[in-house]
């Protein structure tokens, strides 16, 4: 018998949404009571999708501003040249799909020992009532959501977050230490490709790379970064890791050029490769630091296991969607538009929840949906090209490719609405 998952926390909805409509822009009239989709016989009201989409929209913009300083015109960007589909139009369908999945998760929750208790329902009702109280009339008209629909969304998101780990834990994952073993190395990478480089430029760079190599061969323990800068202050030393051994597992692959990997695998701890390694784009000076880097290996093993569990979660939930009987009322869905000219923001203030519901919502319930974003970094970690240009290398060792998650998250569960323990103060941006 599966253990019942009774978290003492529920998803807390951001209390107030502030609407900002630029002049001349707005949304089509939304009827929150109309059915926008049906999942296995259960009708989904437009109000639930509208609220989820607007919180998702606001949080996506906040994420872009946090990572990039500005959201720009993200929603108007064309993502399908042939169809002329914008990111905003695509996002509407994605957000609906996430709501559809949550309805399916609710139905499957008991199979995973997941439930929402009467105490949870009380906390959800209190949060929904507070949300209705804190938002002004104009905001509620734009959201087209009723109090019952707010409660529905909170309940769905609570199920989603509680079922996340149980699904992932079903995955059979067996990564051996030998498969995960990491070799750490230091290197200098100098670009020898690009329209801005002449043949003389390339020749000069290769000569400089050889000079760095010669100095490192004289003293293999020298700081590679300082040695490189002594030749040209635009060069820098970098560090990275590779898989020590080959594997048939498609997730266990190196992001560096084969020539770099092959050269490194001939070295022992502290040895400098005797020659420059040249690829189509770069020339490398290489030193093996640790053939068996235990810390890097442990980290990589955990990353690989997370990747496989995340893949299992994605495959499982996608299969649920594929197997479900879903119909969409496109006419109703078309009333929901996401554009740069029709913006929503969430302003944070502190809000208390009941002790039974738990004030640790962010710690206990954000992990599930937010993990889906962070795991995207793990799945991309070993597929990032490491030798595109010298500037790319300077910003990107294989240990730092988790940064790519910021861009990818907008296409997955960027819009997790569990950022909570927040209430808001409504403002209008004109």
């Amino acid at each position: 018998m599966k253990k019942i998952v009774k978290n003492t926390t529920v998803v807390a909805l951001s209390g107030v949404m502030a609407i900002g409509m630029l002049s001349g822009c707005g949304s089509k009239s939304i009827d929150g009571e109309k059915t926008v989709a049906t999942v296995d016989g259960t009708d989904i009201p437009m109000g639930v999708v509208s609220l989820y989409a607007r919180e998702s929209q606001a949080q996506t913009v906040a994420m872009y501003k946090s990572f990039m300083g500005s959201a720009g015109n993200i929603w108007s960007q064309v993502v399908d040249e042939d169809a002329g589909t914008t990111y905003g139009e695509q996002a509407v369908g994605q957000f609906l799909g996430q709501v559809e999945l949550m309805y399916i998760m609710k139905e499957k929750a008991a199979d995973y020992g997941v439930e929402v208790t009467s105490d949870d329902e009380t906390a959800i009702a209190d949060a929904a009532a507070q949300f209705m109280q804190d938002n002004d009339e104009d905001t509620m008209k734009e959201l087209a959501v009723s109090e019952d629909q707010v409660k529905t969304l909170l309940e769905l998101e609570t199920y989603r977050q509680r079922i996340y780990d149980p699904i992932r834990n079903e995955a059979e994952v067996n990564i051996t230490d030998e498969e995960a073993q990491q070799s750490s190395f230091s290197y200098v990478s100098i670009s020898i490709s690009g329209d801005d480089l002449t043949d003389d430029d390339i020749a000069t760079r290769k000569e400089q790379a050889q000079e760095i190599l010669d100095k490192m061969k004289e003293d293999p323990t020298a700081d590679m970064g300082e040695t490189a800068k002594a030749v040209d202050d635009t060069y820098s030393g970098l560090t990275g890791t590779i898989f020590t051994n080959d594997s048939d597992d498609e997730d266990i692959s190196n992001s560096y050029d084969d020539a770099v990997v092959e050269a490194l695998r001939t070295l022992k701890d502290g040895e400098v490769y005797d020659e420059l390694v040249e690829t189509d784009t770069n020339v490398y000076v290489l030193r093996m630091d640790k053939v068996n880097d235990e810390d890097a290996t442990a980290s990589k093993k955990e990353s690989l296991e997370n990747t496989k569990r995340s893949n299992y979660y994605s495959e499982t939930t996608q299969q649920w969607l594929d197997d479900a009987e879903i119909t969409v009322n496109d006419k109703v869905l078309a009333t929901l538009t996401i554009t740069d000219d029709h913006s929503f923001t969430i302003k944070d203030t502190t809000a208390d929840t009941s002790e039974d519901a738990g004030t640790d919502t962010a710690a206990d319930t954000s992990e599930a949906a937010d993990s889906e974003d962070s795991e995207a970094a793990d799945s991309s970690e070993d597929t990032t090209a490491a030798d595109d240009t010298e500037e790319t290398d300077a910003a990107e060792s294989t240990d730092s490719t988790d940064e790519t998650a910021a861009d990818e998250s907008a296409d997955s569960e960027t819009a997790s609405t569990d950022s909570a323990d927040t209430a808001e103060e409504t403002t209008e941006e004109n």
Side-chain angles (χ1 to χ4, degrees), residues 293-331:
D293 189 317
E294 294 181 355
D295 291 339
T297 298
S299 177
K300 179 61 69 174
K301 186 175 182 180
E302 181 180 0
S303 172
L304 288 169
E305 290 173 347
N306 282 334
T307 296
K308 289 187 178 297
R309 294 192 186 281
S310 292
N311 289 343
Y312 178 84
Y313 175 91
S314 298
E315 292 166 1
T316 299
T317 54
Q318 183 58 53
Q319 190 61 55
W320 289 352
L321 284 166
D322 293 342
D323 292 343
E325 293 185 11
I326 299 175
T327 58
V328 177
N329 188 325
D330 293 327
K331 186 175 181 180

Side-chain angles (χ1 to χ4, degrees), residues 202-255:
I202 293 173
T204 297
R205 291 189 174 198
K206 288 182 179 180
E207 290 173 1
Q208 291 174 324
Q210 185 63 52
E211 184 178 352
I212 296 170
L213 174 59
D214 291 342
K215 291 180 179 294
M216 290 304 303
K217 288 165 66 175
E218 291 176 6
D219 182 7
T221 64
D223 184 290
M224 193 170 283
E226 293 181 2
T227 302
K229 287 185 179 298
V231 174
D232 188 311
D233 61 12
T234 65
Y235 297 153
S236 57
L238 303 170
T239 60
T241 61
I242 59 168
F243 286 100
T244 308
N245 308 301
D246 288 324
S247 173
D248 293 331
D249 190 323
E250 62 181 12
D251 290 328
I252 301 178
S253 60
N254 289 297
S255 57

Side-chain angles (χ1 to χ4, degrees), residues 173-190:
V173 179
N174 183 26
I175 305 294
T176 67
D177 290 341
E178 183 179 7
E179 287 177 309
Q181 184 177 329
Q182 295 290 290
S183 297
S184 56
F185 65 100
S186 299
Y187 68 104
V188 173
S189 173
I190 300 175

